[in-house]
């Protein structure tokens, strides 16, 4: 993408986030919901189609633009990004990356416009980090599959019109090779939703259990048209998603730093602004340095992704470092705010809870470490 | 009906303005620029006329250095159809801009020119009026509401102490006030599409206008810093201070 258009996209999202969304943050905290009119505005803005190719009605931005926009979206409460987060990421990318032309034509334009919401259903009550072991079963009967199982913590499930579902099609292969990815319409008979999970943070986002009971799925809805490819698809989706999430972490760190500097300059103790104290300066400097390092890592990795290089390890490094980094930055931000930082009137209070999730979903920090080390060995051993 | 919308590139309204050390002007190096907010309102109003099927084409014009094209792109992304960039590095004052716009009006034949009532950098509030004078067209300035019907335009104007409504024959000049509308954010797909819209380039020489400034800026200074406040104990003391020190009455 040319630099002028990229800058123009970024600037527009930046303005929208700061003028329109930031003033609504408290309301989202209190209501635990994003106002309906904001959902409509996000649709009108075209954000749902960010990563969906232009031929299917999206913007089809490259990874470098994707992360620049993530930096801007990260500035505000994650609930806003979550409105279209699954359409941009895990809820559409399976179809974008591995879908057949017919599947793309059928689903992507509506995902791009925001007419429908897509969710990604991999995690189960007994299966989290060990994602290759999914127990949900899909049994072939004629020209359809019959699905049974439970999915857990599924983001946007209460709004979803379509699921990218990971289910085991080959019981003789208990590992990755037995898993297939399906496109499942949310209004299929036999799908039931649990009640919305009560979460630590990220208020305004919704997750819940999704129960599949003898749900019939047309055979043509296997992503890519072939059994046994589901886990590979999921990993490709997460490879890209991890870079995006890392961009969000950087954006949130920037916001936390902005709040911290503002508070430190204005808050006076012992007769002067606390920003005059070197112990406060050390916290600010550490946060700034770490956020800048994460930003550089994310931009570098996005560039390499766009050049078609293998970035599995780099994406894991981004997710690991950026999510842990924003956790430390949020902790310092609360500390710099003193007692006020523990109170719901300050933005840092909810960001402190919000960012905790980034170290857990789309692969925990430990799983990122495992991926990084595995890739290191693979490169060494050949 | 064709609508012409002149737009100016100015320092972003959120930027804290700094005066140059030599007091010749304000610092522009590495400063974030944006479309003059009143002009954004003008673009928005033109788009609404287009959506209401009153306007058929919206042409955005900007004047100045190469970077003006970015500002034109913003208007194109919001919904203008094409752009005209009058390239010049000369400092443009209201009369020069009005003359250049007159030359563009002669070529484009718009029925309506909607422009900001003033630019937030120099706050001149002159260009629309000068253009109306040069063209001999009616003008509706400080518009807070527009309505078009049967070759005429009704303009509600914000004036001291209330609203005034005027009826103008077309073609006409309208200048926008803050409350005319709330400009939209360009949608991301439209930003991508704006890349393909046409921006024609021209120069003051091609338009037969000498843009040289007629006024000389002697010096630019920061406003005096606000002094710290004082607390008064009684209403009487306040009245006393307002009268004797602040000389308010
Ligand atoms: C708010 C929220 C939204 C979510 N949205 C979705 C969604 O939309 N779709 C979806 O499919 N899932 C979603 N998830 C699930 C998320 O991806 C999982 O929670 C995550 O992968 C971790 O799995 P788990 O919770 O089962 O933890 P576990 O896998 O049980 O892990 C527990 C702990 O053990 C560690 N651990 C596990 N294995 C190892 C190992 N081999 N070595 C070292 N340590 C290990 C983990 O790092 C962690 O610290 C969401 C979760 C949350 C909280
Ligand atoms: C839930 C809660 C319950 C509380 N209960 C009580 C109570 O019952 N009674 C009561 O009296 N108070 C109570 N407090 C107040 C609490 O003791 C103060 O919040 C705390 O002492 C910090 O003061 P502060 O919030 O004004 O932060 P500040 O003093 O403004 O500190 C802001 C930041 O600056 C740092 N800082 C300040 N001075 C320096 C310095 N010289 N050098 C380096 N760093 C510095 C601080 O460490 C902190 O990181 C409570 C607070 C909370 C949040």
């Amino acid at each position: 993408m040319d630099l002028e258009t990229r800058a123009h996209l970024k600037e527009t999202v930046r303005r929208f986030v700061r003028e329109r969304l930031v003033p609504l943050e408290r309301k989202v905290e209190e209501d635990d919901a994003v106002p309906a009119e904001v959902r409509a505005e996000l649709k009108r803005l075209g954000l749902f189609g960010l990563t969906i190719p232009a031929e299917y009605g999206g913007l089809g931005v490259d990874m470098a633009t994707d992360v620049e926009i993530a930096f801007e979206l990260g500035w505000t409460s994650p609930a806003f990004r979550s409105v279209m987060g699954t359409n941009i990421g895990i809820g559409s990318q399976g179809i974008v990356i591995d879908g057949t032309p017919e599947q793309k034509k059928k689903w992507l334009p509506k995902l791009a416009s925001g007419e429908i919401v897509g969710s990604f259903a991999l995690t189960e009550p007994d299966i989290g980090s060990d994602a290759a072991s999914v127990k949900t079963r899909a049994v072939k009967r004629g020209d359809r599959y019959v699905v049974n199982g439970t999915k857990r913590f599924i983001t946007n499930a209460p709004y979803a019109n379509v699921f990218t579902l990971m289910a085991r099609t080959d019981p003789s292969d208990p590992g990755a090779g037995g898993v297939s990815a399906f496109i499942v319409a949310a209004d299929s008979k036999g799908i039931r939703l649990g009640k919305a999970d009560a979460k630590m943070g990220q208020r305004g986002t919704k997750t819940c259990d999704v129960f599949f009971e003898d749900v019939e799925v047309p055979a043509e809805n296997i992503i890519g048209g072939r059994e046994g490819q589901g886990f590979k698809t999921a990993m490709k989706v997460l490879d890209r998603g991890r870079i995006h999430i890392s961009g969000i972490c950087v954006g949130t760190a920037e916001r936390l730093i902005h709040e911290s500097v503002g508070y430190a300059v204005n808050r006076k103790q012992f007769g002067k602004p606390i920003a005059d104290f070197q112990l406060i300066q050390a916290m600010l400097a550490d946060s700034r340095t770490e956020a800048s390092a994460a930003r550089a890592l994310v931009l570098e990795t996005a560039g390499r992704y766009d050049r078609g290089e293998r970035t599995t390890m780099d994406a894991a490094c981004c997710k690991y470092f950026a999510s842990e980094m924003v956790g430390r930055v949020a902790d310092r931000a609360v500390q710099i705010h003193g007692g006020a930082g523990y109170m719901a009137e300050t933005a840092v209070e909810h960001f402190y809870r919000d960012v905790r999730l980034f170290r857990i979903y789309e692969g925990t920090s430990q799983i990122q470490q495992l991926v990084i080390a595995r890739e290191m060995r693979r490169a060494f051993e050949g | 009906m064709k609508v012409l919308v002149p737009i100016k590139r100015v320092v972003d309204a959120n930027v804290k303005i700094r005066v140059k050390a030599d007091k010749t002007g304000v610092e522009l190096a590495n400063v974030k620029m944006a479309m003059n907010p009143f002009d954004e309102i003008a673009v928005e109003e033109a788009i609404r006329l287009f959506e209401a099927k009153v306007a058929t084409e919206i042409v955005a014009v900007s004047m100045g250095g190469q970077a003006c094209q970015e500002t034109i792109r913003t208007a194109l992304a919001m919904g203008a159809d094409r752009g005209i960039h009058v390239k010049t590095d000369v400092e443009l004052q209201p009369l020069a801009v009005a003359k250049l716009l007159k030359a563009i009006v002669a070529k484009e034949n718009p029925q309506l020119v909607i422009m900001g009532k003033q630019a937030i950098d120099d706050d001149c509030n002159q260009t629309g009026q000068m253009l109306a004078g040069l063209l001999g067209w009616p003008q509706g300035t400080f518009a807070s509401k527009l309505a078009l019907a049967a070759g005429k335009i009704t303009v509600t104007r914000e004036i001291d102490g209330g609203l005034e409504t005027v009826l103008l024959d077309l073609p006409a000049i309208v200048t926008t006030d803050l409350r005319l509308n709330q400009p939209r954010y360009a949608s991301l797909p439209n930003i991508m599409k704006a890349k393909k819209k046409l921006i024609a380039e021209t120069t003051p020489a091609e338009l037969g206008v000498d843009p040289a400034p007629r006024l000389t800026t002697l010096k630019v200074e920061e406003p005096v810093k606000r002094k710290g406040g004082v607390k008064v104990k009684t209403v009487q003391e306040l009245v006393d201070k307002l009268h004797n020190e602040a000389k308010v009455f």
Side-chain angles (χ1 to χ4, degrees):
Chain A
M1 173 167 303
D2 67 286
L3 293 179
E4 194 193 321
T5 307
R6 179 181 295 162
H8 197 167
L9 292 171
K10 180 178 167 75
E11 176 60 25
T12 302
V13 174
R14 184 188 187 91
R15 267 187 73 186
F16 185 78
V17 164
R18 293 174 193 221
E19 297 171 2
R20 182 75 183 116
L21 302 183
V22 168
L24 291 170
E25 287 172 0
R26 278 243 49 83
K27 182 173 166 53
V28 168
E29 276 303 302
E30 281 159 16
D31 299 353
D32 194 10
V34 174
E37 71 266 19
V38 173
R39 290 179 175 272
E41 285 170 48
L42 289 165
K43 252 185 231 182
R44 224 175 299 137
L45 207 57
L47 272 170
F48 282 79
L50 191 67
T51 57
I52 292 171
E55 53 180 317
Y56 299 108
L59 295 166
V61 300
D62 51 16
M63 201 67 230
T65 307
D66 182 329
V67 297
E68 289 286 356
I69 289 182
F71 293 160
E72 298 307 328
L73 293 173
W75 185 267
T76 190
S77 298
F80 297 115
R81 183 199 70 102
S82 186
V83 169
M84 62 276 169
T86 47
N87 282 38
I88 291 176
I90 52 181
S92 72
Q93 289 302 303
I95 305 175
V96 170
I97 295 172
D98 280 342
T100 65
E102 295 74 37
Q103 289 167 346
K104 291 181 184 180
K105 246 199 326 245
K106 176 158 182 201
W107 298 101
L108 294 182
K110 289 180 187 165
L111 285 165
S113 69
E115 185 187 332
I116 63 173
V117 170
S119 272
F120 180 76
L122 170 63
T123 305
E124 300 177 359
D126 296 336
I127 304 295
S129 297
D130 186 12
S133 302
V134 289
K135 289 180 172 171
T136 296
R137 282 281 283 127
V139 180
K140 190 143 192 209
R141 294 235 178 90
D143 61 352
R144 35 202 57 220
Y145 286 85
V146 177
V147 177
N148 279 287
T150 300
K151 294 294 177 177
R152 177 140 294 175
F153 307 147
I154 305 308
T155 301
N156 278 342
Y159 307 109
N161 305 93
V162 61
F163 292 100
T164 297
L165 171 76
M166 299 296 157
R168 186 162 306 283
T169 41
D170 181 0
S172 70
D173 182 346
V179 178
S180 301
F182 292 89
I183 304 169
V184 184
D187 59 4
S188 305
K189 204 166 147 255
I191 294 183
R192 214 162 39 79
L193 301 181
K195 71 172 184 358
D197 299 315
K199 306 190 301 311
M200 172 193 290
Q202 302 220 354
R203 287 175 68 79
T205 68
K206 293 284 176 260
T207 63
C208 70
D209 282 356
V210 185
F211 306 102
F212 295 81
E213 285 158 9
D214 293 329
V215 176
E216 294 194 357
V217 181
E220 75 235 28
N221 283 18
I222 282 201
I223 292 181
R226 277 167 54 217
E227 281 190 10
Q229 302 297 306
F231 190 74
K232 280 191 202 147
T233 297
M235 291 306 115
K236 284 186 239 175
V237 169
L238 293 177
D239 258 6
R240 182 176 176 136
R242 281 168 185 166
I243 308 176
H244 175 85
I245 296 277
S246 306
I248 297 287
C249 292
V250 170
T252 307
E254 295 291 352
R255 172 68 183 280
L256 287 159
I257 291 168
H258 171 80
E259 297 289 336
S260 301
V261 177
Y263 193 81
V265 168
N266 288 314
R267 173 70 176 172
K268 288 203 180 79
Q269 284 296 288
F270 302 99
K272 35 184 156 168
I274 58 169
D276 280 1
F277 302 131
Q278 291 188 343
L279 292 173
I280 295 287
Q281 292 170 11
M283 286 196 268
L284 291 173
D286 285 355
S287 290
R288 179 66 269 161
T289 305
E290 291 190 46
S292 295
R295 174 183 287 263
L297 179 60
V298 168
L299 286 172
E300 160 79 9
T301 304
R304 297 188 42 196
Y305 185 96
D306 286 335
R307 289 193 293 278
E309 294 175 30
R310 182 180 159 85
T311 51
T312 299
M313 181 183 81
D314 311 78
C317 290
C318 285
K319 168 78 165 45
Y320 177 42
F321 184 70
S323 63
E324 296 280 341
M325 173 281 293
V326 74
R328 292 189 294 269
V329 170
D331 187 77
R332 291 184 199 112
V334 170
Q335 195 61 23
I336 290 167
H337 280 70
Y342 194 76
M343 299 299 166
E345 284 91 74
T346 56
V348 297
E349 183 272 331
H350 73 80
F351 281 117
Y352 176 81
R353 289 179 286 108
D354 294 341
V355 301
R356 193 61 187 81
L357 179 60
F358 295 131
R359 294 157 63 188
I360 295 170
Y361 74 174
E362 301 204 23
T364 64
S365 287
Q366 290 68 40
I367 294 305
Q368 308 303 334
Q369 288 174 296
L370 299 186
V371 171
I372 295 163
R374 181 196 72 206
E375 293 291 311
M376 290 168 75
R377 279 187 72 173
R378 179 182 285 181
F380 183 79
E381 291 169 353
Chain B
M1 184 183 80
K2 190 192 282 188
V3 181
L4 191 75
V5 186
I7 53 179
K8 185 177 186 182
R9 184 176 172 81
V10 299
V11 174
D12 187 284
N14 297 312
V15 169
K16 206 162 148 203
I17 302 286
R18 284 181 212 289
V19 170
K20 282 190 199 161
D22 64 5
K23 298 194 175 177
T24 56
V26 301
E27 197 56 71
L28 293 178
N30 295 319
V31 169
K32 191 168 159 231
M33 306 291 281
M35 191 191 303
N36 176 38
F38 290 101
D39 302 349
E40 241 184 332
I41 294 170
V43 174
E44 175 66 33
E45 197 62 21
I47 298 168
R48 291 186 186 188
L49 290 175
F50 182 86
E51 287 168 348
K53 302 207 178 348
V54 175
T56 49
E57 192 186 19
I58 302 165
V59 183
V61 190
S62 194
M63 306 176 182
Q66 190 60 32
C68 284
Q69 296 211 357
E70 252 178 59
T71 313
I72 297 176
R73 276 293 163 222
T74 304
L76 297 179
M78 285 173 73
D81 295 293
R82 61 190 167 87
I84 299 174
H85 176 206
V86 182
K87 275 173 98 158
T88 174
D89 289 323
V90 174
E91 179 206 332
L92 292 175
Q93 294 179 348
L95 185 58
V97 175
K99 286 179 180 172
L100 289 164
L101 285 173
K102 183 188 177 207
I104 288 171
V105 165
K107 289 192 173 187
E108 293 283 340
N109 286 313
Q111 284 296 97
L112 187 59
V113 179
I114 310 180
M115 53 206 291
K117 72 166 183 182
Q118 68 194 60
I120 60 165
D121 49 2
D122 54 24
D123 278 346
C124 281
N125 192 339
Q126 294 170 346
T127 309
Q129 294 88 330
M130 285 177 169
L131 177 61
L134 290 174
L135 286 167
W137 286 10
Q139 56 182 304
T141 53
F142 313 158
S144 64
K145 202 174 155 205
L146 299 187
L148 274 103
K152 291 183 192 290
I153 180 166
T154 309
V155 180
T156 305
R157 308 183 58 232
E158 295 199 347
I159 56 171
D160 279 351
L163 300 173
E164 178 188 52
T165 306
V166 294
L167 181 69
L168 315 175
D169 287 325
L170 294 176
I173 310 288
V174 168
T175 74
T176 60
D177 217 323
L178 274 183
R179 278 156 292 271
L180 181 58
N181 61 47
Q182 174 73 42
R184 72 194 59 197
Y185 296 92
S187 78
L188 307 188
N190 285 344
I191 292 171
M192 309 278 271
K193 283 180 207 142
K195 209 168 38 173
K196 298 192 190 86
K197 290 184 181 174
L198 195 77
I199 299 178
E201 289 183 10
T202 183
T203 60
E206 278 174 21
L207 294 169
V209 174
D210 172 13
R214 300 270 198 97
L215 306 172
T216 315
T217 302
L218 300 180
K219 72 179 174 192
V220 175
E221 290 183 301
E222 305 253 355
V224 275
K225 288 242 160 37
R226 209 174 146 262
K227 294 201 193 80
V230 289
K231 278 188 182 163
V232 292
K233 289 204 176 67
T234 61
V235 174
Q236 187 50 46
E237 190 188 345
L238 173 68
V239 172
D240 189 59
K241 279 190 188 294
L242 286 175
H243 183 63
N244 294 318
E245 287 178 30
K247 300 205 189 312
V248 179
F249 57 94

